[in-house]
Each structure stands twice: as structure tokens, then as C-alpha cells.
Amino acid sequence: MNKVGNDEIKKLFDQKPFDYPKPTTLIKRLLEIATQKDSLILDFFSGSATSADAVMQLNAEDGG
């Protein structure tokens, strides 16, 4: 749900700098499905760093 992404971004900023923020939980789940423990992830847009946050969370969980 996009509401989750909006709630996450509101915790970080006083305003909403992005119109359609992706929820970290969505990106994290997609990474779990589509990657292996030693996969390299490239986030070449890195607007709100949602992908980077999801990757760091997964690395913390599995020691990757």
C-alpha cells in the first residue's frame, strides 16, 4: 500500500518530498523473492533511498 510509504516518509521529513514513495517493506519483499544472499543491488535513481534502506535491513538480518 502506498499509505505505508507515505507514513514512512512522514517520519523522516516534515513535508512530503515525494509524490509516490515506495514502502520499504514492499522493496524488501521483492528483494527476498528476486535475489540471493550474495546478489549485488544497483539503485541508480536513489531518490528516497528506499531500495538502499531495504538492502541494509536485509543485510542486517542475514549478515549479508
Side-chain angles (χ1 to χ4, degrees), residues 13-54:
F13 301 99
D14 292 333
Q15 58 186 356
K16 188 175 147 188
F18 305 102
D19 292 330
Y20 302 102
K22 300 173 298 290
T24 305
T25 52
L26 171 64
I27 303 304
K28 191 173 165 183
R29 182 64 184 137
L30 291 172
L31 290 169
E32 289 172 338
I33 292 169
T35 63
Q36 299 174 358
K37 185 176 179 178
D38 61 347
S39 293
L40 296 176
I41 309 301
L42 174 64
D43 181 11
F44 60 91
F45 282 116
S46 192
S48 62
T50 305
S51 299
D53 185 22

Side-chain angles (χ1 to χ4, degrees), residues 2-24:
N2 200 35
K3 181 184 178 334
V4 176
N6 284 325
D7 292 344
E8 286 179 351
I9 205 83
K10 284 178 187 174
K11 287 181 185 177
L12 297 173
F13 301 99
D14 292 333
Q15 58 186 356
K16 188 175 147 188
F18 305 102
D19 292 330
Y20 302 102
K22 300 173 298 290
T24 305

